[in-house]
Amino acid sequence: MAALTADDLAAIASRIHDQNASWIRVGMSTCGIAAGAERVYAALEDELQRQGAGVQLKKCGCLGMCAAEPLVEVNIAGMPRVIYCRVDEACARDIVRGHVCGGKLLQDYIIDMQSEDAS
Amino acid sequence: MITKTVLIKDTTPGSTSGTKEFFDVFTAALRESKLADEIRLVRAADIGVYNHGIVLKILPDNITYANVQHHDIKRIIGVTLKHGNPIKDLLYQPRAYQLRLVLKNCGRIDPESIDDYIAHDGYRALSAALQAGPDTVIREITASGLRGRGGGGFPTGLKWSMTRSTPGNEKYMICNADEGDPGAYMDRSVLEGDPHAVIEGMLIAGFAIGASQGYFYIRAEYPLAIERVQKAIDQAHAYGLVGERIFGSDFSMDLEIRLGAGAFVCGEETALIASIEGKRGTPSPRPPYPSVKGLWGKPTCINNVETLANVPSIIRNGSAWFSRIGTENSKGTKVFAVTGKVRNSGLIEVPMGTTLRDIVFEIGGGTASGKRFKAVQTGGPSGGVIPEHLLDTPVDYDNLQKLGSIMGSGGMIVMDEDDCMVDIAKFYLKFCVDESCGKCAPCRIGGYQMLNLLENISRGNATLEDLERLRLIAKAMQKASLCGLGQTAANPVLSTLRYFEDEYREHILNRRCPSKKCTALLQFIIDRSRCKKCGLCARSCPEKAITGDKEHGYTIDTARCINCGMCFETCKFGAVERN
């Protein structure tokens, strides 16, 4: 591929931003994987397929709340964006069935972080 | 149609049922107000606020209420949920906020996708830097006040300009990812979560100093970080962002990974350079500094992962933006790995100048056990402990140094009343003795002798003169050691002596360990009244020093007991006492 120019950056950025607005992200750094994030990811992948939910499943790094891993962040159009903590495989399937398909937030799993993001 | 979501969490220490109770009452109240179909109530696992009673967070308004009482529910429904207005007296005012600059993308983007990084402003800073020219880049970094995040706190802009001004047409850029402090893993997380930011920082730095080759020195214990950085380099290569004529400019730079075998001393820059050159990782005297004579004798600039991760956002947003954050002499933010006896072990990023109290209690959530906080250790084996009465110190390079500790790379270990300061000092010193490369005598011999003295203290075989001996050797090590490892190895001992000398004295004079950690000074006995005669202790004893049977109960033979504490740990009924 030819070397990128500065204009290409903007084109790539807008292509990414256009993608599906609904997604699930799993923290897959060492802390997450050690706590079982790979099993959670597989369970989410499997359940999303079973339910036929058109939601993008993504991997990401560490959000900083390592003690609460595995962390799963869920953004479904029309619902608040939330992070679930200490997710296991059963909970992962509940996320797909309850939150993604059923429009309900799971009880007792949500973690909220008080932080200010820089732009 | 659901319009609002309310997260509920009872943050009262020790409370287990408060969240559920409040949830039920609130649910009933919503039904009464005929709002059950419009408001969604959710019990949260953690709401990011601690010790503030019932805490509610209302979305999408993003209103947080703390210390909410049952009788407030009506008001909240009427004022906030129906009309979207905040109730002033319930609003939670956080004392401290995290500010994520370095960790901005960590957990937000896919670290294995360069496109995702580009979509989050990635490589824009590199493009801007190439247009602005090296002098402008160095001026910006200097003006921002960025200082090295690896521990030393050396001004980054100055380091770059020194390397740039050294004559030579072959220069090297090195990213120091040999993170070795016990409990510290900020760099690993950045490399795993946002590798392209570090690569972009490397390229900008390389451009500024005039390097055409860069090395990531990553410890082999970080396989995932290595894998992701390599993947990121390959992707950047494919896009022409690493390699020949980047962005069509005259600037060319290649990046490679070099693995460290995990020797702590290789985090020291001259030892690191020796290790990359394939030699034994031992430090050499400075000067000459690497900026003059570094890798293969050429001018070399070595920056820490976090330092480099700061670079793209400084170039993007300008030095004025960056220097507004932080304190007089310490600009920007710092990432800390808060571990030990803290509720929320993890990474936090706060503006410089945030107090230790806010870091440990507001963001970290206080001690995990709810036991009394004793001290926090910063700076790893080169740092020291900071006791509770100094917790209101704003964290920056200079303040921590004044307290006898250092900022270090960002490890922060929280200790509670169960931690013995002699034991802590012993742990860190043992680490340095193990990791000493042995090249210079002050470090090799001094560390060993100090460790012996500490061992004696923890066994109750010391005299008060030994404390003076410790101070004397420490001074010699600080003055005469070749590199930072030896010069700072005594810091944990000196700082515990400074703030907790009474604990040392208690060990020496009364042969007592107040935190009951130094097992040699303890005596284990079985309290007959609490003993359930289960025999678990007898089975756990490695020396068979516990005799008896399920009928008559058990006793510890103190002559054979080696004070290992296994019985104390295993007893489910608290019947084994240690005094």
Side-chain angles (χ1 to χ4, degrees):
Chain A
M1 145 155 213
L4 232 59
T5 67
D7 294 338
D8 296 337
L9 292 182
I12 291 171
S14 64
R15 193 179 78 218
I16 291 279
H17 284 310
D18 280 348
Q19 281 173 358
N20 199 335
S22 291
W23 46 254
I24 298 178
R25 279 197 297 236
V26 186
M28 301 281 267
S29 275
T30 297
C31 47
I33 291 172
E38 280 174 336
R39 287 195 300 275
V40 169
Y41 188 88
L44 286 168
E45 202 170 29
D46 180 60
E47 197 62 33
L48 282 172
Q49 205 175 10
R50 273 188 209 200
Q51 305 292 335
V55 175
Q56 212 191 346
L57 182 60
K58 305 194 274 192
K59 295 178 184 183
C60 67
C62 161
L63 267 173
M65 299 174 286
C66 308
E69 293 276 359
L71 295 172
V72 175
E73 191 170 6
V74 184
N75 183 47
I76 301 296
M79 288 179 74
R81 193 168 112 187
V82 295
I83 304 171
Y84 292 106
C85 67
R86 297 187 179 93
V87 175
D88 55 14
E89 286 156 277
C91 171
R93 292 184 190 275
D94 286 345
I95 289 173
V96 177
R97 288 192 286 245
H99 185 154
V100 177
C101 302
K104 280 188 181 146
L105 297 182
L106 265 59
Q107 298 290 349
D108 303 315
Y109 276 101
I110 289 176
I111 186 165
D112 199 81
M113 184 166 61
Q114 303 271 331
S115 84
E116 229 174 40
D117 281 9
S119 51
Chain B
M1 172 68 185
I2 288 175
T3 54
K4 285 189 202 299
T5 302
V6 182
L7 299 180
I8 301 172
K9 173 72 186 170
D10 183 6
T11 65
T12 314
S15 160
T16 48
S17 58
T19 310
K20 182 82 172 69
E21 274 165 29
F22 193 85
F23 176 85
D24 293 342
V25 176
F26 209 134
T27 309
L30 282 178
R31 217 171 285 140
E32 213 167 279
S33 330
K34 311 220 174 334
L35 282 172
D37 296 332
E38 289 168 46
I39 309 294
R40 178 198 282 133
L41 290 189
V42 186
R43 296 186 301 268
D46 191 329
I47 206 155
V49 179
Y50 307 95
N51 307 328
H52 276 82
I54 303 271
V55 176
L56 304 184
K57 183 158 186 179
I58 297 153
L59 303 169
D61 310 64
N62 217 0
I63 294 173
T64 305
Y65 290 145
N67 294 312
V68 177
Q69 306 294 326
H70 284 230
H71 61 74
D72 293 321
I73 293 180
K74 252 197 190 118
R75 276 202 294 163
I76 294 173
I77 292 178
V79 179
T80 312
L81 297 182
K82 277 191 180 156
H83 297 103
N85 298 319
I87 301 169
K88 283 222 173 79
D89 58 298
L90 290 178
L91 275 182
Y92 171 68
Q93 302 290 354
R95 283 165 43 92
Y97 261 125
Q98 288 207 54
L99 177 64
R100 294 164 70 96
L101 308 182
V102 171
L103 299 178
K104 177 173 81 91
N105 288 335
C106 284
R108 299 268 152 76
I109 66 166
D110 181 351
E112 303 191 359
S113 158
I114 188 169
D115 287 355
D116 213 359
Y117 178 66
I118 290 173
H120 288 79
D121 296 330
Y123 290 106
R124 264 181 41 205
L126 175 64
S127 158
L130 294 184
Q131 271 167 18
D135 292 320
T136 313
V137 170
I138 291 180
R139 216 165 30 237
E140 275 297 289
I141 296 297
T142 307
S144 74
L146 177 66
R147 292 169 69 176
R149 297 291 192 252
F154 192 81
T156 308
L158 185 58
K159 202 181 232 183
W160 288 11
S161 73
M162 275 159 49
T163 320
R164 176 166 178 77
S165 59
T166 309
N169 47 13
E170 202 184 330
K171 292 178 187 174
Y172 293 100
M173 183 64 217
I174 295 175
C175 171
N176 185 349
D178 191 65
E179 186 174 51
D181 289 2
Y185 59 99
M186 304 73 52
D187 295 349
R188 187 189 72 201
S189 272
V190 173
L191 291 175
E192 287 177 356
D194 195 11
H196 283 287
V198 189
I199 290 178
E200 191 176 1
M202 272 283 260
L203 293 167
I204 294 170
F207 174 68
I209 64 165
S212 53
Q213 177 70 44
Y215 292 101
F216 279 91
Y217 188 81
I218 312 178
R219 46 181 40 228
E221 288 103 319
Y222 286 179
L224 190 63
I226 294 163
E227 183 191 316
R228 291 202 177 147
V229 171
Q230 187 59 55
K231 206 172 261 181
I233 293 175
D234 294 344
Q235 288 172 346
H237 229 290
Y239 271 179
L241 295 170
V242 169
E244 297 289 307
R245 303 180 61 83
I246 295 167
F247 277 126
S249 72
D250 292 334
F251 172 60
S252 301
M253 184 169 172
D254 255 319
L255 296 177
E256 275 179 61
I257 296 177
R258 286 288 179 274
L259 300 188
F264 182 63
V265 72
C266 287
E268 198 280 336
E269 52 185 20
T270 57
L272 188 155
I273 287 172
S275 174
I276 292 185
E277 288 172 346
K279 296 178 192 145
R280 188 188 165 111
T282 52
S284 14
R286 298 180 304 181
Y289 286 91
S291 57
V292 176
K293 201 163 170 256
L295 188 61
W296 291 300
K298 309 289 182 198
T300 303
C301 176
I302 303 181
N303 283 135
N304 161 270
V305 172
E306 194 185 328
T307 316
L308 291 170
N310 267 301
V311 168
S313 62
I314 295 174
I315 299 292
R316 249 190 345 259
N317 301 311
S319 55
W321 163 81
F322 188 79
S323 60
R324 270 199 299 273
I325 306 163
T327 63
E328 179 74 39
N329 292 315
S330 306
K331 300 298 185 188
T333 59
K334 179 77 193 86
V335 184
F336 290 102
V338 186
T339 55
K341 306 269 180 72
V342 67
R343 186 203 304 252
N344 302 328
S345 303
L347 292 186
I348 62 150
E349 182 173 357
V350 288
M352 297 272 192
T354 305
T355 65
L356 286 162
R357 190 180 300 281
D358 285 343
I359 293 174
V360 174
F361 287 94
E362 292 291 309
I363 300 170
T367 56
S369 55
K371 285 189 177 166
R372 211 186 133 83
F373 170 90
K374 189 173 200 174
V376 60
Q377 209 277 351
T378 70
S382 310
V385 296
I386 296 164
E388 194 184 0
H389 72 271
L390 294 171
L391 272 189
D392 290 312
T393 313
V395 170
D396 68 13
Y397 292 99
D398 313 304
N399 278 339
L400 290 184
Q401 197 139 28
K402 268 183 237 152
L403 298 182
S405 184
I406 59 164
M407 174 84 89
S409 62
M412 203 175 257
I413 297 179
V414 177
M415 294 174 284
D416 67 11
E417 58 188 358
D418 286 345
D419 289 305
C420 163
M421 289 299 134
V422 177
D423 193 59
I424 293 291
K426 214 169 68 180
F427 167 81
Y428 282 105
L429 191 66
K430 174 90 174 25
F431 181 87
C432 286
V433 169
D434 284 345
E435 294 291 345
S436 169
C437 75
K439 184 167 177 176
C440 73
C443 174
R444 182 182 69 237
I445 300 170
Y448 182 73
Q449 292 304 332
M450 280 183 81
L451 187 59
N452 275 346
L453 289 171
L454 285 180
E455 293 278 4
N456 287 341
I457 293 173
S458 70
R459 288 205 193 97
N461 297 334
T463 61
L464 283 180
E465 286 83 68
D466 287 334
L467 295 184
E468 278 324 298
R469 253 172 236 136
L470 277 174
R471 289 196 173 99
L472 196 71
I473 303 174
K475 205 171 270 175
M477 286 177 73
Q478 281 176 332
K479 281 198 170 155
S481 293
L482 180 57
C483 80
L485 195 159
Q487 286 158 11
T488 59
N491 283 357
V493 181
L494 289 177
S495 79
T496 45
L497 260 177
R498 176 167 162 188
Y499 298 117
F500 297 96
E501 187 171 336
D502 49 335
E503 255 184 61
Y504 279 84
R505 287 172 165 268
E506 190 69 14
H507 281 74
I508 296 169
L509 298 174
N510 300 330
R511 303 190 38 138
R512 225 186 111 245
C513 175
S515 310
K516 300 188 173 176
K517 199 92 193 176
C518 298
T519 46
L521 298 180
L522 298 177
Q523 224 183 9
F524 293 85
I525 41 167
I526 292 171
D527 178 357
R528 293 245 160 190
S529 64
R530 264 181 287 177
C531 177
K532 301 274 188 249
K533 302 177 185 175
C534 69
L536 217 59
C537 57
R539 260 175 289 159
S540 75
C541 179
E543 291 295 306
K544 308 259 177 287
I546 301 178
T547 51
D549 54 46
K550 291 197 173 169
E551 213 167 301
H552 302 95
Y554 295 84
T555 42
I556 301 175
D557 178 358
T558 45
R560 275 159 79 188
C561 174
I562 55 164
N563 292 333
C564 69
M566 284 298 285
C567 51
F568 179 81
E569 302 284 334
T570 26
C571 182
K572 291 194 170 73
F573 311 102
V576 179
E577 284 184 350
R578 44 177 199 185
N579 294 304

